[in-house]
Amino acid sequence: MLDTPPDERFDRITRIAARVYGADVAFLSFVDADQQWMKSKTSDALSDHIERDRSICTMVVASGAEMVIEDMRQDPMLEGHPVARDIPWRFYAGVPLRGEEGSVIGTLCILREEPGAPPAFNIDVLRDLADISSHELTLARRNTELHQLSNTDALTGLPNRRMFDQEFHRSWRRARRTGVSTSLLLLDLDHFKEVNDTAGHQAGDQVLAKFGRFLSSFAARPDDLAARVGGEEFALILAGSDEPGAAKVADAIIRALDAIALPHPLRKVITTSIGCATLRSDEDHVNWWTRADRALYAAKAGGRAQAQSL
């Protein structure tokens, strides 16, 4: 769910929470190791994300218990907190969001500019809305699993172009949020048409299937992604890889492919050309893709079986 677009299922829940409690802001957030990210919020006055150690919600996540603070500027528990005295809200109420295994994965919270609880305050409604949110998360996860099955390339077992486009955009958003270097590799099997024309399409399909399994081993980290994006075209997203790191992976792919020696009917073995592009801080995802594509073209124009970076 991290870094996915707005979702009406969760926007509806935060709107209800804001109306029920007369809150100035209601938000639903998820946490990873480093940050709290707002999946839904009723006001743009609240940041889209915050470092986890600066978040008040981290206390709810750590304890797994709901928390109500009458006045964040006066509560001794928040003495010395890095943001509690500076934000425009004073009343806070938050409840944990739990995943299928029962672990706390986020929070559902309300904020008010005035100190003190709203009239006839009862946290039960917020708790019920959090339970509904957790149920929606379970449904979303299962729908995602079905979506992945329907967007898998049958020949290689890799995500297809439609799935890649969605994950590529999500990777761009995540990189912009976290500031973590992320690189894109575009790969094209060299002289692949000759395989189909000389040895037949069945032989070509066997090469594609073997290359797909080979490439998947280079998507080693949880946010990495290998995909088939065209006939003999593949893509690899490397989360956490800067330009030297991406170049190192590209070189490893070329050397490892040479080592497994997939046969080519006219040129002894299958080789690949690779274009690399590391996302720049001010770059949109379209330009990021374009740079990788231009780098791939340069690799092919330069003699193939090599990697180029732009």
Side-chain angles (χ1 to χ4, degrees):
M1 295 299 296
L2 286 170
D3 302 299
T4 53
D7 190 322
E8 178 60 22
R9 291 175 296 180
F10 301 110
D11 289 344
R12 185 182 301 118
I13 286 169
T14 53
R15 286 198 301 268
I16 292 172
R19 290 169 184 167
V20 167
Y21 290 107
D24 296 298
V25 182
F27 64 92
L28 185 149
S29 70
F30 297 129
V31 293
D32 60 17
D34 302 308
Q35 292 193 334
Q36 176 186 9
W37 172 69
M38 311 308 164
K39 173 62 178 175
S40 176
K41 58 181 184 175
T42 60
S43 172
D44 289 335
L46 186 69
S47 174
D48 289 336
H49 53 83
I50 185 173
E51 294 86 351
R52 186 167 170 174
D53 59 2
R54 289 168 53 84
S55 166
I56 294 169
C57 291
T58 194
M59 292 186 286
V60 175
V61 175
S63 67
E66 56 201 37
M67 185 171 69
V68 177
I69 303 175
E70 297 283 335
D71 189 344
M72 290 187 284
R73 297 181 190 174
Q74 302 296 328
D75 196 300
M77 181 173 58
L78 297 179
E79 182 69 33
H81 191 279
V83 300
R85 299 298 193 268
D86 299 325
I87 57 177
W89 306 286
R90 301 182 70 171
F91 175 80
Y92 170 97
V95 296
L97 291 180
R98 299 186 183 276
E100 289 186 80
E101 305 276 325
S103 58
V104 179
I105 58 175
T107 58
L108 177 63
C109 306
I110 59 168
L111 301 169
R112 285 167 53 92
E113 295 177 0
E114 295 297 321
F121 174 78
N122 189 317
I123 204 168
D124 288 350
V125 175
L126 201 61
R127 188 186 301 124
D128 289 342
L129 290 173
D131 288 342
I132 294 171
S133 301
S134 296
H135 179 66
E136 291 291 345
L137 285 169
T138 299
L139 293 177
R141 176 181 175 181
R142 292 175 183 172
N143 286 336
T144 297
E145 291 169 351
L146 292 173
H147 181 70
Q148 289 173 340
L149 288 174
S150 65
N151 287 279
T152 297
D153 177 61
L155 183 60
T156 64
L158 297 176
N160 62 17
R161 179 58 184 265
R162 181 167 58 180
M163 173 65 77
F164 171 80
D165 286 344
Q166 295 173 2
E167 291 301 306
F168 177 59
H169 199 187
R170 191 170 76 92
S171 295
W172 171 75
R173 287 194 299 266
R174 181 175 58 246
R176 295 292 296 271
R177 172 176 65 87
T178 63
V180 172
S181 294
T182 303
S183 296
L184 171 66
L185 273 57
L186 297 183
L187 306 91
D188 188 275
L189 297 184
D190 298 325
H191 305 291
F192 182 76
K193 186 175 183 297
E194 295 176 350
V195 179
N196 286 333
D197 292 347
T198 305
H201 286 276
Q202 184 174 358
D205 287 350
Q206 290 175 353
V207 168
L208 291 171
K210 290 177 181 178
F211 184 79
R213 290 193 294 271
F214 162 81
L215 185 63
S216 66
S217 66
F218 289 90
R221 289 166 291 196
D223 290 324
D224 292 349
L225 180 75
R228 183 186 181 194
V229 296
E232 66 269 25
E233 299 169 353
F234 295 81
L236 182 62
I237 298 172
L238 298 172
S241 288
D242 57 11
E243 188 169 343
K248 185 176 180 180
V249 171
D251 181 64
I253 290 172
I254 290 171
R255 288 186 289 105
L257 183 60
D258 187 60
I260 65 172
L262 295 178
H264 189 289
L266 300 180
R267 302 173 186 273
K268 294 186 178 180
V269 297
I270 296 290
T271 60
T272 185
S273 300
I274 306 175
C276 310
T278 299
L279 180 65
R280 295 167 179 167
S281 60
D282 58 347
E283 189 171 38
D284 64 30
H285 65 285
V286 175
N287 194 66
W288 184 22
W289 171 276
T290 300
R291 283 197 299 114
D293 193 48
R294 286 169 49 208
L296 174 59
Y297 180 82
K300 294 176 75 69
R304 296 182 170 87
Q306 62 178 276
Q308 293 286 343
S309 298
L310 283 179

